[in-house]
């Protein structure tokens, strides 16, 4: 690879061009990967400080060694830079930043209150779509338990269909008959009554059971006075459920405020834990914890600031008070941002005595315990990943440990829609942002060998053209035939020194080019288990892509058979509804809303899809 590290002269020239304005800067390594994201009140002075040799910490010195280039984004204010920094850290997970260890998105409970008959369900995607979100929650089981309680108490619908007030269907689903749903689809409950229940659900999710209890008691009395005894009985059962729920929730305060209690505890191996206790209306309703990486040489105030920055940019609810067990870096920025998110000022306290101090001590004890669990998990994960990588190099007798593995698989069913997948594992873990999928262009029919040749040639010819880093090991899903096909391409490209193997699934035999005897690794070996994870992930990724293409082809084919629906109308329908299933569920007036669909055509589509329902 060409050495493209910027020289001192280039650095100085680029820094001179930097504006003395707020913004975010991104340090990159030789591969172009972002390794550090920072915010600045003045981009010029902040970036320049990295290349001064005085007063640099060891971590900064190490970072500078890896910097090959940098980029930046100008913002109007320092607060905007603060927000953008949090989003970029979450997206890129730079190794020199303090970051939440879990790369997954945390689940929320979503209430689609903007619909005629709202739904309440779990989601991991927060949008600005008029819905209400509660969370995030680290404990998925807690979400399901909460949703179960909500369903039992309120008998809300669980179906995904669109239900319009005033347009009842002929038959309800089974849930209505077993008293698990109020039946909005058949008009058994009005839109107004249903929204009253949704308001109660949102009180419930906000932790305000006392307010909800008073509201439900009043509604039960009104229902009894109106002699609607069935409705009154439902409210009575809800009150019993609230009583049981309240018994399980620890009373933390007699104050009618929402508090987040955050305790940060440092551990070994450059890890720290932020423990979060969620106190709503004086009751502890839940807890979450987050492991922070990249904390070496960082003080606790910096760690706490980084955690709050990243957490509250994705959190759906902001408390009235934040109780912290440490000092706080960039306090003013965080206070300003929380005030914007909350709509009013949020108190940030560091209590030294009393009940609030006791809450923090409770959070600290939990954080210390969670760090112990993480240490055990990390040791096991190290054995599965870095330990497996090292052992694999020994078994395969390759000089370089395979920290970067690329795995390939071919997928077709009855010779149609042949596709290939490529997955990437780095340091023993999947790197999903580097996955690639391919449509096979030059091969007709079910020819896995030729298909493998095509995809391997396309992948590595491109890497060579673009002077990109090659993998340490290539894994082909298959035996000698697939391996020979792939290796033939590497020879033609002049990179036959690349380590490449085939893994045959039946006996889990490993083949290397030029060796007739298979390598057998014990089934309990972490090295074999790593290869199996790569192979299975490549297979999963290929099959899912194949199914998507096949489904799309069948969808297009079915829509093309409808009289009056050509390519333009077909595309308009799919763009409007998103899927064939949604088009089939649509009513005639909804079909007419699509551009280019007349009343006559809408009727044809409606009738055709219902006559051919079994085809789906």
């Amino acid at each position: 690879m060409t050495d493209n590290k910027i020289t001192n002269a280039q650095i100085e020239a680029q820094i001179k061009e930097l504006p003395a304005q707020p913004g975010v800067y991104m340090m990159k390594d030789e591969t172009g990967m972002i390794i550090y994201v920072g915010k600045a009140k003045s981009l010029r002075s902040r970036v320049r400080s990295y290349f001064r040799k005085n007063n640099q910490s060891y971590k900064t010195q190490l970072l500078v060694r890896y910097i090959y280039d940098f980029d930046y984004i100008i913002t109007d204010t320092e607060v905007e830079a603060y927000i953008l920094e949090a989003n970029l850290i979450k997206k890129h997970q730079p190794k020199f930043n303090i970051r939440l260890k879990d790369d997954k998105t945390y689940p929320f409970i979503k209430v689609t209150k903007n619909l005629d008959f709202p739904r309440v369900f779990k989601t991991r995607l927060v949008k600005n779509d008029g819905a209400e979100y509660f969370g995030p929650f680290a404990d998925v089981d807690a979400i399901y338990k909460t949703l179960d309680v909500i369903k039992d108490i309120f008998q809300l619908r669980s179906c995904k269909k669109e239900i319009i007030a005033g347009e009842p269907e002929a038959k309800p689903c089974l849930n209505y008959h077993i008293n698990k749903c109020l039946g909005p689809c058949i008009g058994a409950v009005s839109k107004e009554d249903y929204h009253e229940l949704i308001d109660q659900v949102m009180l419930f999710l906000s932790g305000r059971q006392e307010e909800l209890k008073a509201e439900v008691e009043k509604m039960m009395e009104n229902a009894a006075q109106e002699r609607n005894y069935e409705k009154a009985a439902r409210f009575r059962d809800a009150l019993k459920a609230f009583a049981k729920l309240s018994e399980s929730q620890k009373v933390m305060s007699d104050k009618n405020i929402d508090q987040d209690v955050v305790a940060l505890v440092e551990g070994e191996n450059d890890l720290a834990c932020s423990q979060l206790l969620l106190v709503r209306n004086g009751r502890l309703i839940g807890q979450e914890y987050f492991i922070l990486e990249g904390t070496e040489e960082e003080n606790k105030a910096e760690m706490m600031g980084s955690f709050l920055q990243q957490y509250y940019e994705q959190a759906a609810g902001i408390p009235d008070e934040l109780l912290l067990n440490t000092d706080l870096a960039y306090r003013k920025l965080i206070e300003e941002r929380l005030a914007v998110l909350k709509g009013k000022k949020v108190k940030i306290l560091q209590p030294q005595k009393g009940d609030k101090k006791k809450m923090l001590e409770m959070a600290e004890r939990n954080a210390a315990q969670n760090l112990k669990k993480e240490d055990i998990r990390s040791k096991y994960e190290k054995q599965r990943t870095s330990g497996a990588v090292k052992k694999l190099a020994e078994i395969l007798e390759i000089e370089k440990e395979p920290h970067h593995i690329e795995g390939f698989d071919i997928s077709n069913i009855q010779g149609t829609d042949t596709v290939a997948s490529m997955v990437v594992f780095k340091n023993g873990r999947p790197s999903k942002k580097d996955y690639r999928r391919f449509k096979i262009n030059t091969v007709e029919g079910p020819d896995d060998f030729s298909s493998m040749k095509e995809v391997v040639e396309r992948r590595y010819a491109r890497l060579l053209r673009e002077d990109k880093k090659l993998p340490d090991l290539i894994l082909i899903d298959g035996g000698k035939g697939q391996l020979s096909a792939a290796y033939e391409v590497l020879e033609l490209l002049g990179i036959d020194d690349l380590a490449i193997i085939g893994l045959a699934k039946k006996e889990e035999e490993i083949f290397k080019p030029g060796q007739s005897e298979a390598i057998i690794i014990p089934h309990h070996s972490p090295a074999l288990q790593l290869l199996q994870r790569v192979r299975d992930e490549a297979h999963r990724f290929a099959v899912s892509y194949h199914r998507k293409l096949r489904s799309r082809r069948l969808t297009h084919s079915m829509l093309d058979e409808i009289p009056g629906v050509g390519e333009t109308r077909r595309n308009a329908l799919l763009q409007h509804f998103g899927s064939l299933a949604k088009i089939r569920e649509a009513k005639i007036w909804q079909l007419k809303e699509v551009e280019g669909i007349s009343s006559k055509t809408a009727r044809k589509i409606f009738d055709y899809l219902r006559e051919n329902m079994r085809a789906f």
Side-chain angles (χ1 to χ4, degrees):
M1 181 174 287
T2 306
D3 186 358
N4 61 339
K5 185 166 186 175
I6 51 182
T7 64
N8 289 336
Q10 286 176 302
I11 289 171
E12 194 56 42
Q14 288 190 41
I15 289 173
K16 284 181 180 178
E17 295 300 317
L18 283 170
Q21 293 177 23
V24 173
Y25 54 93
M26 294 150 284
M27 303 302 192
K28 299 180 180 181
D29 67 7
E30 61 181 330
T31 67
M33 182 181 292
I34 294 173
I35 57 175
Y36 186 79
V37 175
K39 62 183 173 302
K41 195 171 184 178
S42 167
L43 282 167
R44 185 186 304 157
S45 59
R46 185 72 185 99
V47 173
R48 177 175 280 141
S49 70
Y50 283 91
F51 301 100
R52 291 175 181 154
K53 294 184 179 179
N54 298 330
N55 302 321
Q56 281 190 345
S57 68
Y58 173 73
K59 183 178 178 180
T60 303
Q61 292 174 27
L62 191 63
L63 166 64
V64 171
R65 283 185 214 162
Y66 284 94
I67 296 175
Y68 269 62
D69 202 352
F70 66 85
D71 204 351
Y72 61 92
I73 301 171
I74 301 169
T75 60
D76 290 331
T77 65
E78 195 178 358
V79 173
E80 287 181 4
Y82 167 89
I83 300 166
L84 181 57
E85 180 194 34
N87 292 332
L88 290 174
I89 290 172
K90 186 176 187 301
K91 179 181 179 181
H92 297 289
Q93 291 286 297
K95 64 182 179 181
F96 282 95
N97 281 96
I98 298 173
R99 59 203 178 275
L100 303 191
K101 183 177 180 183
D102 299 304
D103 57 1
K104 60 181 178 293
T105 54
Y106 285 91
F108 294 78
I109 291 179
K110 180 175 181 178
V111 182
T112 56
K113 66 174 188 177
N114 48 330
L115 300 181
D116 283 2
F117 296 96
R119 294 175 57 219
V120 181
F121 57 96
K122 178 182 77 70
T123 183
R124 292 182 184 271
L125 188 61
V126 177
K127 300 178 181 177
N128 185 18
D129 57 0
E132 284 282 347
Y133 294 87
F134 298 86
F137 299 89
D139 186 352
V140 179
D141 286 340
I143 283 192
Y144 286 121
K145 287 175 183 175
T146 302
L147 290 174
D148 285 343
V149 171
I150 288 172
K151 288 174 184 176
D152 286 343
I153 295 173
F154 300 104
Q155 298 181 32
L156 301 179
R157 71 185 183 103
S158 56
C159 62
K160 296 181 180 179
K161 68 173 74 172
E162 184 179 6
I163 302 176
I164 308 295
E167 296 183 16
E169 297 180 1
K171 294 180 180 180
C173 67
L174 177 63
N175 282 342
Y176 174 75
H177 293 294
I178 60 175
N179 296 320
K180 291 288 186 182
C181 176
L182 295 175
C185 60
I186 59 169
V189 60
S190 70
K191 175 181 174 180
E192 293 72 25
D193 286 348
Y194 200 89
H195 271 268
E196 278 188 8
L197 294 174
I198 290 297
D199 290 339
Q200 294 170 30
V201 168
M202 290 194 289
L203 278 177
F204 178 91
L205 293 172
S206 300
R208 287 172 164 74
Q209 273 84 28
E210 289 304 317
E211 292 179 38
L212 179 55
K213 182 182 174 184
E215 183 72 21
V216 173
E217 284 175 344
K218 189 166 77 173
M219 295 177 76
M220 180 179 69
E221 290 171 4
N222 291 340
Q225 288 173 5
E226 294 168 0
R227 297 187 178 184
N228 190 340
Y229 299 118
E230 184 180 345
K231 189 174 183 180
R234 192 164 65 245
F235 291 138
R236 179 202 61 208
D237 294 340
L239 288 171
K240 289 179 181 178
F242 295 149
K244 286 184 180 178
L245 188 70
S246 296
E247 288 172 6
S248 66
Q249 292 179 340
K250 182 178 176 66
V251 177
M252 304 294 287
S253 169
D254 58 358
K255 292 185 177 179
N256 187 24
I257 58 173
D258 294 346
Q259 297 166 310
D260 281 359
V261 183
V262 187
L264 190 142
V265 173
E266 294 179 274
E268 299 176 356
N269 304 319
D270 299 323
L271 296 180
C273 177
S274 280
Q275 181 75 36
L276 182 66
L277 303 182
L278 303 172
V279 180
R280 298 295 179 262
N281 203 30
R283 290 182 178 272
L284 177 61
I285 66 167
Q287 65 87 30
E288 304 165 23
Y289 76 91
F290 301 84
I291 300 299
L292 278 67
E293 289 182 315
T295 61
E296 64 273 19
E297 293 195 32
E298 301 289 354
N299 61 50
K300 292 179 78 171
E302 287 281 343
M303 285 186 254
M304 180 63 81
S306 293
F307 168 71
L308 297 182
Q309 176 192 28
Q310 294 177 59
Y311 176 76
Y312 285 110
E313 284 304 315
Q314 66 167 344
I318 308 296
D320 302 310
E321 280 186 359
L322 261 180
L323 308 183
L324 312 180
N325 73 330
T326 72
D327 291 330
L328 179 61
Y330 14 97
R331 185 188 188 100
K332 184 180 177 183
L333 275 176
I334 291 173
E335 286 178 335
E336 288 180 17
R337 181 58 180 160
L338 290 177
V340 171
L341 294 172
K342 177 75 173 174
K344 65 178 183 178
K345 186 176 180 180
V346 176
K347 289 183 181 179
I348 301 179
L349 308 173
Q350 191 180 344
Q352 303 299 317
K353 59 182 180 179
D355 291 340
K356 292 179 179 179
K357 176 65 173 174
K358 288 178 182 177
M359 285 194 278
L360 281 169
E361 289 170 351
M362 177 180 170
E364 286 173 345
R365 290 194 297 272
N366 280 277
Q369 192 62 35
N370 287 323
L371 275 172
K372 287 180 183 177
K373 288 193 296 185
E374 185 64 26
D375 188 48
I376 294 170
R377 192 179 294 122
S378 294
K379 287 176 181 175
Y380 174 69
E381 186 66 19
K382 187 175 181 181
Q383 182 184 13
R384 289 179 74 245
T385 54
S386 57
V389 167
K390 185 175 183 179
K391 189 67 178 175
L392 196 55
E394 295 174 11
I395 293 170
L396 298 179
E397 297 180 340
I398 54 180
E399 292 182 8
K400 191 175 181 183
E401 291 182 2
H403 292 284
H404 179 167
I405 302 174
E406 295 188 353
F408 292 85
D409 187 30
I410 305 295
S411 177
N412 68 74
I413 297 176
Q414 298 176 344
T416 65
D417 301 306
T418 302
V419 299
S421 70
M422 184 204 77
V423 300
V424 177
F425 274 57
K426 292 183 177 178
N427 298 316
R429 295 179 178 180
S431 179
K432 293 192 177 184
K433 65 183 178 66
D434 296 311
Y435 285 15
R436 297 291 182 271
R437 54 194 189 185
F438 306 84
K439 287 183 184 177
I440 300 302
N441 300 323
T442 62
V443 181
E444 293 185 8
D447 186 343
D448 285 0
F449 297 164
S450 297
S451 298
M452 186 63 76
K453 280 185 178 180
E454 178 186 324
V455 71
V456 171
E457 192 278 331
R458 284 166 62 183
R459 170 64 177 170
Y460 296 113
R462 179 170 182 171
L463 289 189
L464 291 171
R465 280 197 310 272
E466 297 178 355
D467 196 22
K468 295 282 184 66
K469 186 176 181 291
L470 295 169
D472 303 321
L473 175 67
I474 300 171
L475 173 66
I476 303 298
D477 182 6
K480 291 181 180 179
Q482 286 94 333
L483 176 63
S484 296
Y487 186 67
E488 185 180 323
V489 172
L490 298 186
E491 287 183 310
L492 290 172
L493 293 174
I495 51 173
D496 50 317
D497 56 339
L498 261 180
I500 182 171
I501 60 171
L503 179 59
K505 190 168 187 178
K506 189 174 181 181
E507 301 295 334
E508 302 293 36
E509 295 176 317
I510 299 168
F511 296 96
K512 292 179 68 176
Q515 292 186 9
S516 58
E517 293 296 320
I519 299 171
I520 305 297
I521 304 177
H523 282 261
H524 64 269
S525 169
L528 177 62
Q529 290 166 2
L530 171 58
L531 293 180
Q532 289 170 328
R533 288 199 299 275
V534 177
R535 188 266 316 279
D536 293 346
E537 180 68 350
H539 180 70
R540 180 201 65 78
F541 194 51
V543 169
S544 66
Y545 183 43
H546 180 270
R547 286 173 177 164
K548 181 178 179 180
L549 289 182
R550 188 167 178 268
S551 174
R552 186 185 300 166
R553 178 170 57 79
L554 292 174
T555 296
H556 284 200
S557 175
M558 177 61 71
L559 291 176
D560 287 341
E561 291 176 8
I562 301 174
V565 176
E567 182 180 354
T568 301
R569 286 174 174 168
R570 179 194 71 203
N571 292 338
L573 285 163
L574 288 171
Q575 185 174 0
H576 184 86
F577 291 103
S579 70
L580 186 59
K582 292 288 186 184
I583 299 172
R584 193 184 68 195
E585 290 175 2
K587 296 177 174 58
I588 292 175
W589 68 266
Q590 291 173 311
L591 294 168
K592 286 165 57 180
E593 289 182 344
V594 180
E595 186 177 353
I597 303 296
S598 65
S599 298
K600 185 178 179 181
T601 305
R603 168 57 69 179
K604 286 181 180 178
I605 296 168
F606 184 86
D607 292 342
Y608 182 89
L609 292 180
R610 272 149 186 77
E611 289 170 7
N612 294 272
M613 281 180 69
R614 291 183 181 179
F616 299 95

